[in-house]
Amino acid sequence: DQQVKQNSPSLSVQEGRISILNCDYTNSMFDYFLWYKKYPAEGPTFLISISSIKDKNEDGRFTVFLNKSAKHLSLHIVPSQPGDSAVYFCAASDGGGADGLTFGKGTHLIIQP
Amino acid sequence: DTGVSQNPRHKITKRGQNVTFRCDPISEHNRLYWYRQTLGQGPEFLTYFQNEAQLEKSRLLSDRFSAERPKGSFSTLEIQRTEQGDSAMYLCASSLGSGTHYFGPGTRLTVT
């Protein structure tokens, strides 16, 4: 039973345009959400997080939106750059991040020149 | 500031052998986590420590898996009697209390 779902295995976006990566969750106890970026043969790199008391968090080109009623979050990258090509993982925690994270399967983002 | 480090980066072993991986967290971080990642999947949480106390170990995959953090600094993950299904990337992460987990580069295990 997957508690965090990323239903798009891959996404192709033109350089300079907006990339939108989606994530759904089923556990209503989750209260902290994170996005990670991963290149092959490297560990995940933290991008941005959001607490369940907020509905938006922004950091430079990255914005995360949280819709608690729909149990849905999304990551927006504007503008998309070639270096953004990677696998993006959505993760969630029910302990404010203190306990282990539950990850989705990831979305492979490809930025086309 | 050095990040999380893991050694070795790659390990090839024969089925039935024991292996041990080491993780050195970010120095001021009191929490340390172990995850496993297989092909096409996201990282899967295994266990974590707060200082030297192991607070969660029910997610360890079998009794062949064990982890220690004897002095609250570095940690080791041991797999006894390895099986081919243990082949995966083993990731370590650390955090300062609650909040963001910072990951190391991982140890790639191949069991032949």
Side-chain angles (χ1 to χ4, degrees), chain A residues 36 38 41 43 97-99 101 104, chain B residues 9 31 33 35 37 42 48 101 104:
Chain A
Y36 286 86
K38 189 177 184 301
D99 301 330
L101 301 177
Chain B
R9 293 293 307 277
R31 291 200 173 213
Y33 307 81
Y35 291 80
Q37 186 176 19
Y48 82 98
H101 296 203

Side-chain angles (χ1 to χ4, degrees), chain A residues 26-84:
Chain A
T26 58
N27 187 342
S28 57
M29 299 299 291
F30 286 148
D31 60 3
Y32 189 66
F33 303 88
L34 310 91
W35 284 93
Y36 286 86
K37 173 181 178 180
K38 189 177 184 301
Y39 295 117
E42 294 185 11
T45 301
F46 170 72
L47 283 175
I48 192 167
S49 63
I50 188 166
S51 165
S52 60
I53 62 173
K54 295 187 173 183
D55 54 18
K56 177 182 174 181
N57 189 26
E58 192 171 354
D59 183 1
R61 296 187 299 117
F62 302 94
T63 303
V64 56
F65 295 92
L66 175 63
N67 182 334
K68 289 185 289 295
S69 60
K71 294 191 178 69
H72 177 83
L73 63 157
S74 61
L75 174 69
H76 293 209
I77 306 173
V78 182
S80 300
Q81 299 174 353
D84 296 331

Side-chain angles (χ1 to χ4, degrees), chain B residues 15-42:
Chain B
R15 188 164 49 102
Q17 298 294 305
N18 299 344
V19 294
T20 300
F21 310 138
R22 176 178 170 128
C23 171
D24 287 88
I26 294 170
S27 58
E28 64 269 25
H29 285 185
N30 58 344
R31 291 200 173 213
L32 185 149
Y33 307 81
W34 285 99
Y35 291 80
R36 181 182 80 158
Q37 186 176 19
T38 54
L39 200 60
Q41 303 293 318

